[in-house]
């Protein structure tokens, strides 16, 4: 990413006014990326479960959950959400998406670093995430940014669908070996 591109990008807290545009961006990103990985029926189900206005607005009001938006040249270009889990020292990077036309320019890395900052500021020593086992490009990006695969899980998400994921983890403070000692 050039200095000019970095200066043109900002990460800001998502607001209630952003919920409609967020949903539209999520649909665009998901339909550009996921049809080769999951069914269209599962895409529709997950979009409604994760991005409908009521869900996002409730999460914006919830303590221990954060949403950020990525603005590039003033336009909504990506988003991320994070939450403190019930495990000591752990924050979950629940969502991180960048519009396909802006991927591989460093914006995802900016958002990972923002998630690490939020985790550190809340006393967390590790960041965890779940990623579909067939989402090779995302797995490669997370490995590039210091995550490692900790586990593999299959989780029923309702509607007759499952998530077949890797759980990935990244140390955000102190000794990276603490991820292995405390991340289980």
């Amino acid at each position: 990413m050039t200095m000019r591109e970095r200066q043109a990008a900002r990460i800001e807290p998502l607001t209630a006014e952003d919920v409609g545009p967020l949903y539209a961006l999520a649909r665009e990103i998901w339909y550009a990326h996921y049809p080769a990985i999951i069914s269209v029926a599962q895409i529709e189900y997950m979009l409604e479960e994760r991005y409908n206005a009521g869900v996002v607005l409730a999460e914006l009001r919830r303590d221990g959950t954060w949403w950020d938006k990525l603005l590039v040249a003033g336009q909504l270009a990506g988003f991320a959400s994070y939450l403190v889990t019930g495990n000591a020292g752990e924050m979950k990077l629940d969502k991180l998406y960048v519009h396909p036309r802006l991927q591989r320019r460093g914006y995802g890395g900016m958002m990972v670093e923002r998630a690490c900052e939020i985790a550190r500021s809340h006393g967390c020593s590790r960041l965890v995430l779940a990623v579909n086992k067939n989402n090779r490009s995302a797995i490669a990006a997370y490995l590039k940014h210091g995550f490692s695969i900790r586990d593999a899980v299959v989780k029923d998400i309702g509607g007759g669908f499952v998530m077949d994921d890797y759980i990935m983890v990244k140390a955000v403070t102190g000794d990276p070996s603490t991820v292995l000692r405390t991340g289980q």
Side-chain angles (χ1 to χ4, degrees):
M1 170 184 325
T2 68
M3 182 60 84
R4 172 176 264 172
E5 287 174 320
R6 182 172 289 281
Q7 290 171 339
R10 295 187 324 270
I11 298 173
E12 299 178 355
L14 192 79
T15 67
E17 294 78 32
D18 298 317
V19 172
L22 169 82
Y23 185 81
L25 178 60
R27 285 189 70 80
E28 187 175 349
I29 291 169
W30 278 57
Y31 272 97
H33 186 75
Y34 284 112
I37 299 172
I38 59 176
S39 70
V40 169
Q42 185 167 349
I43 290 170
E44 283 298 321
Y45 178 81
M46 293 180 73
L47 284 169
E48 185 59 27
E49 289 290 309
R50 294 167 169 237
Y51 300 103
N52 80 61
V55 169
V56 176
L57 289 169
E59 288 184 7
L60 287 173
R61 292 187 297 269
R62 187 178 306 143
D63 286 338
T65 301
W66 298 265
W67 277 84
D68 281 332
K69 61 186 175 184
L70 170 68
L71 299 170
V72 176
Q75 300 297 311
L76 182 63
F79 57 90
S81 72
Y82 340 91
L83 56 105
V84 175
T85 70
N87 300 322
E90 184 176 274
M91 181 170 283
K92 181 178 183 185
L93 176 54
D94 193 42
K95 299 167 186 72
L96 191 156
Y97 292 95
V98 175
H99 192 284
R101 77 176 182 282
L102 296 171
Q103 291 175 358
R104 294 173 189 78
R105 295 188 185 181
Y107 299 123
M110 285 175 59
M111 295 176 77
V112 167
E113 185 50 42
R114 169 77 173 152
C116 291
E117 290 169 9
I118 290 173
R120 283 188 293 269
S121 73
H122 289 85
C124 296
S125 61
R126 66 192 173 281
L127 196 58
V128 299
L129 60 85
V131 60
N132 186 290
K133 291 176 187 171
N134 294 311
N135 194 344
R136 290 173 177 74
S137 61
I139 293 166
Y142 291 128
L143 290 169
K144 174 184 168 187
H145 290 289
F147 285 86
S148 60
I149 295 172
R150 178 174 78 188
D151 202 359
V153 298
V154 177
K155 178 182 174 187
D156 184 335
I157 59 168
F161 301 108
V162 298
M163 290 177 49
D164 188 10
D165 291 340
Y166 287 125
I167 303 302
M168 300 185 77
V169 62
K170 173 185 174 84
V172 296
T173 60
D175 178 3
S177 66
T178 61
V179 170
L180 298 176
R181 287 196 304 270
T182 61
Q184 300 300 321

